[in-house]
């Protein structure tokens, strides 16, 4: 009897601790939503006062986005959606091919290619960004969707992940398919890719998240207001010269929505995927 | 004459370069893996190898629009200046703090979450993961409001409640560092907890029973059973956090854009951006990048050596 009482107390303590942790994790997001529904001028002057109820509830900030003042905001949104959608499709396609090949085939140079993947993972992109930027300038690609997407199209982290996942694919199916006259490409697209769906879901979130929140590279290659992605556009409102705080707050809230939808859609696979990618060496 | 006829005759019968034979080669088991990895090889050559060589090359040049001139080691001599040391110092402090916070705390939280007496674990997992979905700009906007300069801002109200005087968070070296570390920790804590939770699934439960029979206490069980099982994740997370720490730019950008008072928020990548892009001194920026790469390389080797990743039989 005494033991169960002790156990109950431990449960209470643990749950209590995690309610606190969850509160710390969620508080900033909740207060952003509250802030977006309060007058923007007060916020810039006083900061967040931490009130989780609405003193003066209004939709002015959201109305500002729909009004003419914030006309670029939807363009930023559209840019982010186009870039992220294209990147998810392209990077999943290319990275899965590479990762799959590294896992299921024996070929000359396989080990070398895998070492290159790991090498790129270890070397920060920031060291390559100036030459890449110069390259983009030389080809007049600055201020285009293509320039933003290019460095993310074959993502080494996704290649690594798909490789780890593909190692567990049933290779007997490949032999059976070959005997039936299926080509190597047919084997991938018709048999293996469907088996790899959970890993595609996991990487769709990871690549979507990376692209949606990507900042430094787009900051370099995007020049005109109408080409900005959401983070770059919102960052311009954060500067001392940015004077439209209404769009900053309401726009920040709306900017999280697509990624939350993507996350909720694939969540189940994501947590499993995130972990299996990092754990096995 | 005779030779011409024989080649014309021979061709349709399938010499090595006839179209039909070539396409069947493309479909063969030998060629397929190379075609599969070709996108990566192309991206490696054009998006990694070329820029990498180019970065090294640029670091010995003065790059001006339309003209490029080799200036030997002068960029590197210029790198070793007080501003760079400030940037490197800020970055190093940031790396040390984030590595400690983002390894130790997530491990403790994961151990608690993994406890069999814990309830509502799925809800807590989801809740602590939400911050990772926000972009650094959105998160930074909120943190700027929470840590606003006025007495009314929540962080300062909190300080006043405990009898401290309000702080202008974005104007002091220590509080500025605090802001960057808190922002990064808030965003990545949940992800790291999930990594540890996954690692804890690998622990062999029979070992706990054996340890109980031997009369091991909680600490001994952690040290001899739990920790060895999650050690690969500890190594993985410290390596990733270190590299991400040295790459840091955005956490500083959301608080101060590119100019912080007394460079309290200047990071090495921020310095590359300032010099290479804003001042258009690409050669110098490239040299800073190469120095950063050397720093990361040395730190990673030391780290891997200390964590025993080089020892044989560990894989």
């Amino acid at each position: 009897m005494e033991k169960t009482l002790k156990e109950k107390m431990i449960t209470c303590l643990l749950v209590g601790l995690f309610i606190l942790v969850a509160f710390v994790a969620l508080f900033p997001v909740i207060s952003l939503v509250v802030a977006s529904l309060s007058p923007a001028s007060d916020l810039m002057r006083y900061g967040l006062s931490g009130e989780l109820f609405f003193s003066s509830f209004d939709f002015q900030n959201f109305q500002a986005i729909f009004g003419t003042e914030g006309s670029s905001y939807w363009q930023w949104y559209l840019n982010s959606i186009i870039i992220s959608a294209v990147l998810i499709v392209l990077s999943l396609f290319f990275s899965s091919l590479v990762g799959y090949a590294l896992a299921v085939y024996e070929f000359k140079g396989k080990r070398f290619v895998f070492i290159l993947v790991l090498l790129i993972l270890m070397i920060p992109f920031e060291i390559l960004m100036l030459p890449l930027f110069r390259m983009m300038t030389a080809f007049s690609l600055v201020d285009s969707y293509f320039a933003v997407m290019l460095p993310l199209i074959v993502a080494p982290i996704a290649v690594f992940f798909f490789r780890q996942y593909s190692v567990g694919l049933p290779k007997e199916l490949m032999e059976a398919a070959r005997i039936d006259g299926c080509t190597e490409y047919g084997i991938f697209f018709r048999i293996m890719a469907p088996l790899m769906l959970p890993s595609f879901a996991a990487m769709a979130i990871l690549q979507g998240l990376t692209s949606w929140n990507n900042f430094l590279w787009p900051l370099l290659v995007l020049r005109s207001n109408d080409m900005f992605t959401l983070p770059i556009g919102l960052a311009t409102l954060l500067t001392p010269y940015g004077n439209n705080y209404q769009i900053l707050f309401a726009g920040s809230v709306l900017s999280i929505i697509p990624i939350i939808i993507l996350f909720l859609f694939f969540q189940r696979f994501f947590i499993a995927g995130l972990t299996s990618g990092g754990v096995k060496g | 004459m005779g030779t011409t006829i024989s080649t014309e005759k021979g061709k349709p019968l399938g010499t090595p370069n006839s179209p039909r034979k070539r396409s069947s080669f493309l479909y063969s088991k030998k060629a397929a893996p190379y075609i599969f990895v070709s996108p990566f090889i192309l991206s490696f050559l054009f998006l990694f190898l070329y820029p990498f060589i180019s970065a090294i090359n640029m670091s010995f040049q003065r790059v001006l629009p339309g003209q490029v001139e080799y200036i030997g080691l002068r960029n590197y001599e210029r790198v070793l200046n007080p501003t760079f040391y400030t940037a490197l110092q800020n970055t190093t402090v940031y790396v040390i703090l984030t590595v400690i916070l983002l390894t130790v705390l997530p491990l403790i939280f994961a151990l608690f979450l993994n406890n069999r007496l814990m309830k509502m674990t799925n809800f807590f997992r989801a809740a602590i993961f939400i911050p990772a979905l926000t972009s650094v700009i959105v998160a930074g906007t909120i943190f700027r409001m929470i840590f606003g300069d006025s007495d009314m801002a929540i962080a300062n109200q909190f300080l006043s409640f405990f009898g401290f005087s309000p702080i202008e968070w974005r104007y002091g070296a220590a509080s500025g560092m605090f802001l960057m570390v808190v922002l990064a920790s808030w965003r990545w804590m949940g992800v790291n907890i999930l990594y540890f939770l996954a690692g804890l699934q690998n622990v062999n439960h029979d070992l706990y029973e054996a340890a109980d029979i031997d009369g091991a206490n909680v600490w001994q069980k952690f040290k001899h059973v739990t920790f060895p099982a999650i050690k690969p994740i500890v190594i993985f997370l410290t390596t990733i956090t270190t590299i991400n720490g040295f790459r840091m730019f955005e956490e500083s950008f959301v608080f101060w854009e590119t100019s912080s008072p007394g460079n309290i928020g200047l990071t090495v990548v921020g310095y590359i951006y300032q010099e290479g892009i804003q001042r258009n001194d690409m050669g110098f920026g490239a040299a800073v990048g190469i120095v950063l790469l050397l720093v990361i390389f040395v730190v990673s080797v030391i780290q891997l050596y200390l964590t025993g990743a080089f020892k044989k039989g560990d894989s």
Side-chain angles (χ1 to χ4, degrees):
Chain A
M1 281 307 273
E2 203 190 19
K3 203 182 174 191
T4 50
L5 183 69
K6 195 181 156 196
E7 283 183 347
K8 270 181 190 162
M9 277 172 65
I10 293 174
T11 304
C12 280
L13 273 175
L14 284 176
V15 172
L17 173 78
F18 275 93
I19 287 173
L20 194 71
V21 173
F23 178 75
V24 172
L26 294 179
F27 173 77
V29 181
I30 297 168
S31 57
L32 174 70
V33 177
V34 174
S36 70
L37 293 163
S38 319
S41 52
D42 290 359
L43 277 165
M44 286 321 282
R45 210 174 310 141
Y46 304 122
L48 267 179
S49 54
E51 287 169 22
L52 287 180
F53 54 90
F54 305 100
S55 47
S56 51
F57 188 85
D58 67 46
F59 281 103
Q60 265 185 16
N61 297 330
F62 287 95
Q63 279 163 355
I65 294 188
F66 289 95
T68 46
E69 284 174 283
S71 54
S72 291
Y73 181 81
W74 296 115
Q75 184 62 44
W76 302 339
Y77 217 96
L78 187 68
N79 294 339
S80 273
I81 285 181
I82 292 172
I83 290 174
S84 299
V86 174
L87 260 179
I88 288 175
V89 173
L90 288 183
S91 72
L92 257 57
F93 178 70
F94 289 124
S95 309
S96 63
L97 279 178
V98 182
Y100 166 81
L102 286 174
V104 303
Y105 289 106
E106 287 306 325
F107 60 97
K108 226 178 167 189
K110 169 177 159 164
R111 220 184 130 69
F112 180 66
V113 173
F114 189 55
I115 288 171
L116 290 184
V117 173
L118 297 179
L119 184 76
I120 301 185
L121 271 176
M122 298 295 287
I123 295 195
F125 169 79
E126 285 72 12
I127 286 151
L128 310 174
M129 74 184 179
L130 294 181
L132 276 172
F133 177 70
R134 222 171 141 201
M135 218 161 102
M136 296 297 153
T137 320
F139 292 115
S140 311
L141 287 168
V142 170
D143 218 19
S144 69
Y145 288 156
F146 185 72
V148 180
M149 291 192 263
L150 196 61
L152 291 176
I153 287 178
V154 186
I157 184 86
V159 170
F160 181 74
F161 176 82
F162 280 118
R163 187 235 171 222
Q164 300 298 90
Y165 193 89
S166 308
V167 168
L169 291 174
K171 293 201 183 67
E172 314 82 65
L173 286 181
M174 296 178 74
E175 274 314 312
R178 270 181 207 132
I179 291 165
D180 291 346
C182 193
T183 65
E184 298 302 313
Y185 311 101
I187 295 175
F188 177 75
F189 287 109
R190 295 209 205 136
I191 301 169
M192 293 310 198
L195 291 177
M196 290 165 73
L197 277 181
S199 64
F200 280 104
M203 284 303 102
I205 296 191
L206 188 76
Q207 291 305 101
L209 199 58
T210 310
S211 163
W212 191 258
N213 292 337
N214 196 9
F215 187 70
L216 181 53
W217 178 246
L219 181 69
L220 257 64
V221 292
L222 296 178
R223 286 297 144 92
S224 51
N225 199 43
D226 279 350
M227 285 304 294
F228 287 167
T229 55
L230 270 174
I232 309 298
L234 289 173
T236 61
L237 303 177
L238 203 64
T239 67
Y241 316 106
N243 46 15
N244 207 329
Y245 298 118
Q246 293 191 299
I247 293 178
L248 179 61
F249 292 114
S252 294
V253 172
L254 294 183
S255 79
I256 308 177
I257 291 172
I259 208 73
I260 297 238
I261 292 173
L262 188 74
F263 176 69
L264 292 177
F265 204 66
F266 293 127
Q267 183 192 20
R268 196 152 76 80
F269 303 107
F270 185 56
I271 294 182
L274 183 82
T275 45
S276 75
V279 180
K280 303 172 214 157
Chain B
M1 281 303 253
T3 46
T4 349
I5 291 165
S6 78
T7 43
E8 272 172 3
K9 262 187 180 173
K11 223 175 181 181
L13 290 172
T15 48
N17 53 354
S18 81
R20 192 155 163 208
K21 187 90 185 204
R22 208 187 299 152
S23 74
S24 74
F25 174 71
L26 282 180
Y27 280 91
S28 78
K29 203 178 141 188
K30 255 196 146 76
Y34 292 104
I35 290 167
F36 282 164
V37 296
S38 59
F40 172 76
I41 300 298
L42 285 177
S43 92
F44 171 77
L45 293 176
F46 290 104
L47 298 171
F48 186 85
L49 192 62
Y50 171 74
F52 187 69
I53 293 167
S54 177
I56 294 173
N57 192 29
M58 269 165 76
S59 71
F60 298 108
Q61 295 173 332
R62 179 180 299 137
V63 185
L64 292 169
Q67 63 174 91
V68 168
E69 156 191 19
Y70 279 91
I71 55 167
L73 286 169
R74 250 188 288 165
N75 283 328
Y76 287 95
E77 284 163 17
R78 275 177 61 211
V79 169
L80 306 174
N81 69 62
T83 314
F84 175 75
Y85 288 131
T86 309
L88 188 62
Q89 192 192 333
N90 289 341
T91 307
T92 310
V93 172
Y94 176 87
V95 167
I96 294 170
L97 292 175
T98 49
V99 166
I100 294 172
L101 278 173
L102 285 174
T103 317
V104 177
L105 280 183
L107 175 56
I108 294 173
F109 286 143
L111 287 171
F112 284 154
L113 262 182
N114 201 45
N115 193 300
R116 69 192 163 84
L117 297 174
M118 185 64 198
K119 292 214 164 75
M120 302 193 291
T121 41
N122 282 338
F123 166 75
F124 289 124
R125 276 175 182 218
I128 55 182
F129 188 77
I130 296 285
L133 299 178
T134 62
S135 81
V136 73
I137 297 300
V138 171
T141 306
I142 314 168
F143 275 68
R144 273 174 79 145
M145 295 302 108
I146 291 175
F147 295 96
D149 299 334
S150 87
D151 302 354
M152 299 281 287
I154 180 162
N156 279 338
Q157 280 189 341
F158 192 75
L159 284 182
S160 326
F161 182 79
F162 289 100
F164 298 100
S165 46
I167 292 179
E168 289 191 309
W169 296 91
R170 284 168 54 227
Y171 299 93
S175 58
M177 179 59 67
F178 175 82
L179 290 181
M180 293 190 284
V181 172
V182 165
L183 178 56
S185 304
W186 178 74
R187 283 181 71 215
W188 299 117
M189 187 74 68
V191 177
N192 291 7
I193 292 174
L194 293 182
Y195 275 119
F196 278 122
L197 278 174
L200 290 171
Q201 307 302 312
N202 296 339
V203 181
N204 184 349
H205 283 272
D206 298 343
L207 292 177
Y208 283 123
E209 283 171 27
D212 278 333
I213 293 167
D214 291 344
N217 63 28
V218 178
W219 170 248
Q220 285 169 326
K221 273 192 265 183
F222 173 78
K223 196 180 162 200
H224 297 292
V225 180
T226 315
F227 190 75
I230 56 168
K231 201 178 161 195
I233 300 182
V234 175
I235 295 175
F236 170 77
L237 285 183
T238 48
T239 314
I240 291 285
T241 313
T242 306
I243 293 178
N244 285 342
F246 279 115
R247 299 173 52 180
M248 197 267 278
F249 169 78
E250 304 173 345
E251 276 82 0
S252 161
F253 189 92
V254 286
F255 286 117
W256 302 280
E257 288 84 51
T258 52
S259 58
S260 51
N263 285 331
I264 52 170
L266 186 68
T267 68
V268 179
V269 172
Y271 193 48
I272 297 177
Y273 179 80
Q274 234 176 48
E275 296 291 331
I277 300 293
Q278 290 186 317
R279 301 209 179 119
N280 212 0
D281 195 349
M282 291 233 195
F284 183 68
V288 177
I290 301 296
V291 174
L292 175 64
L293 185 64
L294 292 176
V295 172
I296 293 177
F297 180 73
V298 171
V299 171
S300 301
V301 169
I302 294 173
Q303 208 172 35
L304 290 174
Y305 182 77
L306 287 178
T307 48
F310 285 151
K311 275 183 217 153
K312 277 183 184 160
D314 236 16
S315 58

